[in-house]
Amino acid sequence: SMARGVPAVGCNLLKSELFMNGWQASGVPVVGCNRGGIPSLINDGKTGFLFEPGDTEELAARVRCLVDDPPAARAMAAAARAEAERWGWEAATTRLREEQYVQAARNHRERQRDVRTLRQKIKRYRDSMFRGSRADVFAIFGNRAAEREAAALEEEERQLAGDIEALERKPTTRQLFGWLSARSPASLRLVTILLWPWRFLTAVMRKLRIALLPGS
């Protein structure tokens, strides 16, 4: 692929970071996965392109952009080569070991922390909906303590839903194989999706009872 100038794609974090320098030095436009130390090797849009792991549509679009626009691909390859020429192999491997692998390890720890936090918040959200639905049922029959508990849990669920949405937008919580990944919180998320209509219905019934029979 180097001889033909076909874009090189790097996804394996442990190997591709080293290959990136070789590809760039060979005048090949590089499309790299936005993980580990790879982002520190590619100036997105100038010396190559980055794509989010698991986003095959973005990857295909990046490669297609280079294939369909040879002048732009050649300009990007020249910029990548100029950047690579700043580093000899000894300097490049030193940089790889001392900077990029350290960054990759830091990114890995951040990813683990964010994925763990996401799973914990989804579990809390699921449990809160279970408890809230149960409290709703008691509140519908006039239990004032359950009414207060249901309202408090509803506020907690609203806060957790916002936290979960913010975490799911972070690149660190996106799984390379999406819902098929072993670390994906998909099963937990599915439970909350299935439970939400029942929680919504019981909450509406509780609020209707309060509106229609405020003093009872």
Side-chain angles (χ1 to χ4, degrees), residues 54-68:
D55 193 339
T56 55
E57 292 185 1
E58 183 182 18
L59 169 59
R62 296 296 201 183
V63 174
R64 177 58 60 189
C65 179
L66 293 171
V67 172
D68 289 347

Side-chain angles (χ1 to χ4, degrees), residues 64-185:
R64 177 58 60 189
C65 179
L66 293 171
V67 172
D68 289 347
D69 192 350
R74 286 193 293 270
M76 183 171 286
R81 181 178 176 84
E83 175 66 19
E85 286 176 346
R86 295 175 53 211
W87 305 92
W89 276 110
E90 183 177 353
T93 53
T94 299
R95 181 189 179 201
L96 182 67
R97 181 182 66 252
E98 296 181 356
E99 296 180 23
Q100 291 148 17
Y101 279 179
V102 170
Q103 182 62 44
R106 187 180 298 116
N107 291 345
H108 179 67
R109 288 193 296 271
E110 181 182 359
R111 180 181 180 82
Q112 286 186 316
R113 183 181 65 248
D114 286 346
V115 169
R116 183 169 56 249
T117 301
L118 176 60
R119 291 182 65 88
Q120 290 171 347
K121 286 188 178 291
I122 292 177
K123 287 180 180 179
R124 285 179 55 195
Y125 185 52
R126 176 200 61 191
D127 294 344
S128 182
M129 284 198 290
F130 272 122
R131 292 163 53 205
S133 296
R134 182 182 61 189
D136 280 336
V137 172
F138 284 104
I140 290 169
F141 289 99
N143 188 313
R144 304 302 289 273
E147 183 181 310
R148 291 190 295 272
E149 180 186 6
L153 287 168
E154 190 173 21
E155 181 59 33
E156 179 182 340
E157 291 158 25
R158 190 177 296 110
Q159 179 63 48
L160 285 169
D163 293 345
I164 291 168
E165 184 179 357
L167 280 167
E168 287 180 332
R169 285 199 300 264
K170 295 185 68 173
T172 50
T173 59
R174 296 177 187 171
Q175 302 297 322
L176 183 59
F177 297 104
W179 283 36
L180 296 178
S181 173
R183 296 174 62 193
S184 170

